[in-house]
Amino acid sequence: MAKRRIARLDGRVSITNDATWWRSAVIYQIYPKSWADADGDGFGDLAGIRTRLGYLARLGVDAIWLSPWYRSPQADGGYDVADFRDIDPIFGTLADAEALIDEAHDLGLKVIVDIVPNHTSDQHRFFQEALASEPGSPAWDRYHCVRGADGGASPPNDWTSAFGGPAWDPVLDADGQPTGWWYLHVFDSAQPDLNWDNPEVREEFLDTLRFWFDRGVDGFRIDVATGLVKAEGYPHSGGGEEDRYPYWDQPGVHEIWREWRRVANEHQPPRAFVGEVWVGSQEAFVAYLRPDELHTAFNFDHLKCPWDASALRGVVERSLHAAGQVSAPSTWVLENHDVPRVRTRYGMEAAGARMPHANTAPPPDVVPDDARGLARARAGLLFMLGLPGSAYVYQGQELGLPEVLDLPAEVRQDPAFRRTGGAEGYRDGCRVPMPWTRQDHSFGFSPTGASWLPMPADWGELSVEAQLGDPGSMLELTRDALRIRRREPALGDGDLGWISEPDDPCLVLRRPAEETDPHVLVAVNMGEAPALVEATEVVLSSGRDPAPGRGGFWLPPDTAAWLR
Ligand code: NOJ
């Protein structure tokens, strides 16, 4: 195991252990299209990211995860990759990516990039070669090209696409006539699924991993990590929930991750994986985290958890128990580029509606209780950063950005919106560009004021400029929390002990579990009345300062705190 290293940077102290940094890292997700635009075309780019890396170092995160930056027609926000070893021109060049990786490292930031092995773009060389050949050819064998039912007139089975409609599109001949063969796409038609039984597909990805590892990438976020292997013979789904379809979580997928792990281990220090693993049970989930498979996976149970103390306690307990069975750290995540912003989700709940966690239309006619939504978003973040394991912060979460609910249909880009006639596909609302400054058009996102999605007129007040130095802002709360988390050996990796009783509406836990000095108490009050937390000192609070009481402090509702 590599030695602990203490790096000093702008007065911040970072204690990293190069081999196991991913066990406790706070990882900031950048959606490149929406973070910072340097060339003024209204799309974020790598040059923009490079100019703002200092912001992240000062924020105090340990690593960045970049959503796909590869060459792509952007049919699904870059999750439709045309070339895994080149950068899309809207983002820059390969040289920009290399410079970005080096500069991030100089600032003490690890770099994780997205990889999308389940499918390619229809513009990928593999698919273009398939289209230029006959069904049944070796080029088509890299995809799932299957003879249709009813003499070829209907799709081979009843599988549906996660973005709406059938999961099969007809393969056409050179004259545009149906061939009777169909290709599989679990997502958009422009994202054909790869056939992982094909050795060339496997090799292509192993080479791609090495290509980026050789350029210094510290790890990969693996898109759709449960989807690569489809049930043999393409059986009918038999209806039911789409997330149980026989194209998810097939046993053969684990061998792929074992092979990838071996490649990660070829490098020094070993590189790390975080999987996008949506599965039905904890048992199935931890199978992906066995010591020879993926290092970590997103904890979507945490993301889906409502603002409810017993539900959250249950998620924390089950997550730690499950991860512990395979000696993996748990992860924590409240936001990403696929789900509505947490401020709005919690605000909807406070207004009596449940905001679906992904993809579907927001409940009509419900106005979120924004004040409570923001208070809970702040509390949720502080509580999360006090839990054992690694945590994800999605760009703008540190500013408390709300979901943009009123984007007009004509600007929406989510392919599911088009495929379902507006019934689903609402992911653009969390992808609206970052506001950096108070005044300018597009609030400093772009020098020309352009932005690929319109930004709400009042976002200047949520900008980085407006929040920096304001002790009451969510940005300063995040910075304080990250600074303290780095200095407190009890936070990050490790264990916890519960102080609150199972049915308490105020969760209180101790880090570490054992009664030691030093320790930190992590508390969140999800009840309706102030709760007394026994402690001698408040280290940090997400809301109004807890008032001193007998032997402790009164934590207001919708508030989290770190105490001693
Ligand atoms: C999950 C990604 O997070 C999402 O944005 C994408 O649309 C699908 N996978 C398909 O790649």
Side-chain angles (χ1 to χ4, degrees), residues 29 31 65 67-68 76-80 114 116 118-119 163 187-188 191 221 223-224 276 278 300 336-338 414-415 427 431:
Q29 182 191 353
Y31 193 71
W65 149 33
S67 280
D76 179 24
Y79 286 89
D80 50 316
D114 228 301
V116 190
N118 181 67
H119 44 264
F163 288 166
F187 295 92
D188 191 48
Q191 294 167 291
R221 177 266 187 192
D223 191 65
V224 197
E276 188 198 22
W278 292 94
F300 293 124
N336 65 32
H337 63 292
D338 290 331
D414 186 336
R427 296 178 298 166
R431 298 174 180 179

Side-chain angles (χ1 to χ4, degrees), residues 200-428:
E200 283 175 307
V201 168
R202 291 188 181 231
E203 277 312 311
E204 171 68 14
F205 277 89
L206 297 180
D207 289 349
T208 298
L209 295 181
R210 293 190 179 103
F211 177 89
W212 289 107
F213 288 154
D214 289 346
R215 280 164 181 73
V217 157
D218 300 286
F220 281 100
R221 177 266 187 192
I222 303 174
D223 191 65
V224 197
T226 60
L228 279 57
V229 176
K230 324 298 180 201
E232 213 179 316
Y234 308 102
H236 281 289
S237 74
E241 293 289 314
E242 207 169 79
D243 55 6
R244 298 283 154 84
Y245 272 31
Y247 48 66
W248 300 130
D249 195 31
Q250 298 296 305
V253 80
H254 293 285
E255 186 44 43
I256 299 171
W257 304 137
R258 288 192 197 102
E259 194 165 22
W260 283 34
R261 182 71 176 249
R262 288 194 285 275
V263 174
N265 289 345
E266 285 167 7
H267 294 77
Q268 265 319 315
R271 308 303 153 91
F273 296 122
V274 53
E276 188 198 22
V277 176
W278 292 94
V279 281
S281 71
Q282 290 279 5
E283 202 187 352
F285 182 76
V286 297
Y288 289 79
L289 302 178
R290 287 174 288 194
D292 58 348
E293 296 194 36
L294 308 181
H295 302 71
T296 56
F298 295 109
N299 186 346
F300 293 124
D301 288 345
H302 180 225
L303 188 149
K304 289 186 292 185
C305 185
W307 187 260
D308 175 89
S310 83
L312 182 57
R313 182 173 171 140
V315 165
V316 171
E317 282 174 352
R318 284 192 300 277
S319 306
L320 292 174
H321 173 74
Q325 289 176 324
V326 285
S327 306
S330 191
T331 66
W332 309 102
V333 59
L334 291 169
E335 288 196 7
N336 65 32
H337 63 292
D338 290 331
V339 298
R341 294 277 190 183
V342 71
R343 172 178 184 161
T344 306
R345 257 175 25 227
Y346 287 156
M348 284 276 183
E349 258 184 68
R354 187 90 163 85
M355 184 119 180
H357 68 272
N359 214 4
T360 36
D365 311 325
V366 180
V367 180
D369 180 337
D370 188 53
R372 295 195 79 177
L374 177 58
R376 291 175 177 187
R378 295 170 59 109
L381 180 78
L382 188 60
F383 184 73
M384 167 177 92
L385 293 175
L387 292 172
S390 85
Y392 287 81
V393 175
Y394 174 54
Q395 63 175 48
Q397 186 180 352
E398 79 281 19
L399 304 178
L401 294 185
E403 180 76 3
V404 180
L405 295 168
D406 59 357
L407 288 173
E410 61 274 14
V411 305
R412 289 190 181 271
Q413 308 280 320
D414 186 336
F417 187 80
R418 175 180 37 81
R419 290 181 69 90
T420 63
E424 292 180 18
Y426 284 82
R427 296 178 298 166
D428 293 302

Side-chain angles (χ1 to χ4, degrees), residues 531 538 540-549 552-556 559-563:
V538 177
L540 184 63
S541 163
S542 72
R544 266 184 299 120
D545 274 344
F553 294 88
W554 288 100
L555 194 60
T559 308
W562 292 352
L563 311 97

Side-chain angles (χ1 to χ4, degrees), residues 12 28 30 35 52-61 64 109:
R12 79 196 175 106
Y28 185 95
I30 294 179
W35 204 57
R52 304 262 186 206
L53 284 175
Y55 166 77
L56 294 177
R58 284 187 292 274
L59 185 62
V61 296
I64 53 176
L109 298 167

Side-chain angles (χ1 to χ4, degrees), residues 432-505:
V432 172
M434 275 278 285
W436 293 93
T437 58
R438 264 206 174 95
Q439 300 292 352
D440 318 304
H441 286 308
S442 83
F443 307 111
F445 166 65
S446 164
T448 58
S451 78
W452 69 280
L453 286 172
M455 300 173 69
D458 57 359
W459 272 22
E461 284 316 303
L462 291 173
S463 65
V464 172
E465 182 185 42
Q467 297 199 33
L468 258 188
D470 171 0
S473 71
M474 183 144 174
L475 179 56
E476 290 299 342
L477 171 71
T478 311
R479 290 178 62 169
D480 285 346
L482 293 174
R483 185 171 36 78
I484 295 166
R485 183 178 154 110
R486 278 169 178 272
R487 295 209 168 123
E488 289 290 338
L491 296 175
D493 201 7
D495 59 3
L496 65 77
W498 289 104
I499 296 197
S500 54
E501 296 299 325
D503 51 358
D504 274 350

